[in-house]
Amino acid sequence: MATLTTSYQLIASKNIGTISGSGVATKTVYLRIYAKYTSQSIANNKSNVAYKSALYVEGSGTYFYTGTPTTKTLSGTGATAVSGSAAGDYYLGETALNEITGTVTHSNAGKASVSITASWSSTPWGVSGSVSGSADLPTIARATTPTLSATSVTMGGSITITMNPADSSFKHKIRYAFGALTEKADAFSIKDGFSAQGNTTSTF
C-alpha cells in the first residue's frame, strides 16, 4: 500500500465505461481518486488529509461529449462525505470532480491508514461506477518520557526508572552514568522488564 506524501498521488483508477460521438473515435472513461496529507501533529498524534476525485477521458484536445447532469460522490477516512450533481459533459483529459479534507487520528504506535471511495453516474452514455483505494500515512514519532523514583540516593541505594510508552510494543535503550563511567541497557520491552537484559546493576 502506498504511503501518502504532501503532494497528491493517484490512489486508484477504474474504467467505468466508454463514450462516442459522430465522427469521433470511442473513448474510455476512468474514475480516479487521489490523496495527500497536508500536515502532521506529533503533540496530537493526528494528520490532516485531503482527497479528490476526477474523471479521465483518454486523449487530449478541446473536444467534449455533451451529456446530461450526473451524480458524483466522494468519501474518505476522517472527512465528511460529499455528493451532488455535476455537469454531464466529458472533456478529453482529466476533469476535477470533488475535493474534501479531514483529520485522521493515529494509533498509539503512531500508525494510520486511510480509505477513499468515489462514484459517478451519467446519462445518456450509461457511464457509471465507483472506485476505492487505501493508503498509509507516515508514522508519527511517539516520545516516551521516563520518570525517576528519586533524583538522588546515597551510595548503595537504588533508583527506579519507570517508562510510560505510548504503545506496549515500543522498545527503549537506557544509558546511565556514575561520574565519567557509563553503562547502557540495550533495547528492552516494558512487558519483559529491565531485567530481561541481565543488566539491572553494574559495578564501577
Side-chain angles (χ1 to χ4, degrees):
M1 203 158 48
T3 298
L4 297 185
T5 68
T6 54
S7 297
Y8 270 123
Q9 58 183 296
L10 180 65
I11 302 302
S13 179
K14 183 178 180 180
N15 178 340
I16 59 171
T18 59
I19 54 178
S20 61
S22 178
V24 180
T26 299
K27 301 293 184 180
T28 302
V29 181
Y30 297 87
L31 182 59
R32 294 175 167 180
I33 49 176
Y34 296 83
K36 68 178 180 178
Y37 77 92
T38 56
S39 64
Q40 290 189 306
S41 170
I42 294 177
N44 296 322
N45 196 33
K46 295 181 178 182
S47 292
N48 291 321
V49 295
Y51 313 118
K52 70 177 182 179
S53 57
L55 276 183
Y56 176 75
V57 180
E58 59 182 1
S60 61
T62 58
Y63 188 85
F64 68 93
Y65 298 76
T66 301
T68 56
T70 60
T71 299
K72 58 179 182 177
T73 67
L74 177 63
S75 62
T77 305
T80 301
V82 294
S83 63
S85 62
D89 295 337
Y90 294 85
Y91 290 85
L92 298 182
E94 188 170 277
T95 302
L97 297 178
N98 285 315
E99 185 171 15
I100 54 178
T101 60
T103 302
V104 177
T105 300
H106 289 235
S107 70
N108 287 338
K111 300 180 181 299
S113 61
V114 298
S115 296
I116 312 102
T117 299
S119 67
W120 170 270
S121 63
S122 70
T123 56
W125 306 108
V127 174
S128 64
S130 62
V131 61
S132 298
S134 300
D136 291 325
L137 281 160
T139 300
I140 294 178
R142 308 302 312 282
T144 297
T145 302
T147 58
L148 304 177
S149 60
T151 57
S152 63
V153 293
T154 58
M155 294 295 292
S158 64
I159 292 178
T160 299
I161 302 172
T162 301
M163 309 297 288
N164 299 290
D167 189 88
S168 61
S169 66
F170 288 177
K171 293 182 179 292
H172 303 75
K173 289 185 178 181
I174 291 180
R175 187 178 298 274
Y176 51 100
F178 182 78
L181 303 176
T182 63
E183 278 286 351
K184 71 174 182 178
D186 289 331
F188 65 93
S189 60
I190 297 303
K191 64 181 180 180
D192 292 333
F194 189 85
S195 61
Q197 300 303 316
N199 241 355
T200 56
T201 60
S202 295
T203 302
F204 294 96

